[in-house]
Amino acid sequence: MMIERLPRLPVSRQLPLIPICQPAFRSVAVSNAHQSRHATTSSLPKDASPRRRSVTVVNDTGAVPWKDLSIGEKAARTTQQSFNLGIVLLGIGLTGAVATVLWLEVFSTDSKTAYFNRAADRIRADPQCRKLLTGDERGSKREIEAHGEPSWSRWARNRTIASRLETDRAGVEHLHMHFYVSGKQANGTVQLHMSRRPGEDFQYQLLALDVPGEQRVYLENASAMTQAKAGKLFGINWNR
């Protein structure tokens, strides 16, 4: 008796297919997340913007437009800008004042410094003054130094020049000044007196050098010249 062999089926066809079902809670969680995201998105207004920091006098940078400021913030910005403008105007005023002082005291031809330099140059150029100060009338002008009032600091270069400017009853201006000169042999004091009538330039009235133990040296002496002219009449010197 012969037994017929049945064809062998593959394993995949032998086992019944079991459907795989996803857990119900997973679909529910996805649905809830979608709904919550939709609710969050829909709850924010479309034109919502981040809240800005209030503008004060200290933190105002000008980034916020004027129209967006409140009344208090506008007052703060106005105060800040007014303060800044005041600082700028104060700086301009101080700069102008310093420039004016420098011009009147240093750079102007009518400044006291200019008259001091001219008088000092005349002392250096006079042979008799050079002989008293340096011991040699042919000595160099650079050997004579001129300076203002003595200073306690040996390193001080700018010393105050003692001077005064006054006007008499006739409207004539008088400039009085004295300063100091020094050479390798002696030190001295220079006396200066200049006068100026209205509309005219300053004229020397007195320019003299005083060295201790020596006779005064006159470079200008208007009073002596006036007396000499007054004592001479018709070519005769009546002061003899």
Side-chain angles (χ1 to χ4, degrees):
M1 181 176 179
M2 298 181 62
I3 299 174
E4 294 182 359
R5 293 184 178 181
L6 296 176
R8 190 173 184 178
L9 297 176
V11 178
S12 60
R13 296 185 63 179
Q14 294 178 4
L15 298 177
L17 296 177
I18 300 175
I20 300 175
C21 298
Q22 296 181 353
F25 71 89
R26 186 172 183 180
S27 60
V28 174
V30 173
S31 177
N32 292 338
H34 178 72
Q35 292 178 0
S36 62
R37 189 184 303 112
H38 178 73
T40 304
T41 305
S42 60
S43 61
L44 293 176
K46 295 182 179 180
D47 57 347
S49 58
R51 185 178 180 182
R52 65 175 177 83
R53 187 178 181 182
S54 60
V55 176
T56 63
V57 178
V58 179
N59 65 2
D60 185 18
T61 60
V64 181
W66 177 264
K67 62 180 181 179
D68 295 338
L69 298 177
S70 63
I71 297 178
E73 292 174 336
K74 289 180 179 179
R77 176 169 293 181
T78 302
T79 302
Q80 185 196 60
Q81 293 180 352
S82 300
F83 178 78
N84 294 339
L85 179 61
I87 293 296
V88 172
L89 294 178
L90 178 61
I92 294 175
L94 291 177
T95 302
V98 171
T100 302
V101 171
L102 288 176
W103 171 256
L104 295 177
E105 297 294 334
V106 179
F107 300 108
S108 175
T109 56
D110 284 339
S111 66
K112 297 178 181 179
T113 303
Y115 292 118
F116 162 78
N117 291 331
R118 294 170 191 168
D121 289 340
R122 291 197 58 178
I123 295 295
R124 295 187 182 102
D126 186 79
Q128 191 174 357
C129 294
R130 287 205 303 266
K131 184 177 181 180
L132 290 176
L133 297 174
T134 65
D136 185 4
E137 63 181 13
R138 298 181 180 180
S140 175
K141 298 179 181 180
R142 298 180 180 179
E143 297 179 0
I144 300 176
E145 295 182 356
H147 56 84
E149 294 297 316
S151 174
W152 61 270
S153 175
R154 59 181 299 183
W155 303 105
R157 300 183 60 183
N158 298 326
R159 302 179 184 179
T160 304
I161 302 173
S163 63
R164 72 178 188 274
L165 183 64
E166 55 188 12
T167 305
D168 60 17
R169 296 181 179 179
V172 180
E173 293 181 282
H174 296 270
L175 174 63
H176 299 271
M177 180 186 301
H178 73 269
F179 57 91
Y180 304 92
V181 290
S182 58
K184 61 182 181 181
Q185 180 171 324
N187 300 327
T189 304
V190 178
Q191 302 292 339
L192 172 65
H193 175 206
M194 305 182 74
S195 63
R196 177 172 61 183
R197 297 182 180 276
E200 299 180 0
D201 296 331
F202 272 108
Q203 302 293 332
Y204 281 100
Q205 298 297 322
L206 175 66
L207 179 60
L209 171 64
D210 292 324
V211 176
E214 302 290 344
Q215 188 176 2
R216 170 177 278 192
V217 179
Y218 289 94
L219 282 75
E220 297 284 352
N221 192 1
S223 60
M225 295 179 61
T226 302
Q227 293 177 2
K229 291 181 180 180
K232 191 173 183 180
L233 183 62
F234 301 111
I236 302 175
N237 191 352
W238 300 96
N239 290 331
R240 292 181 179 179

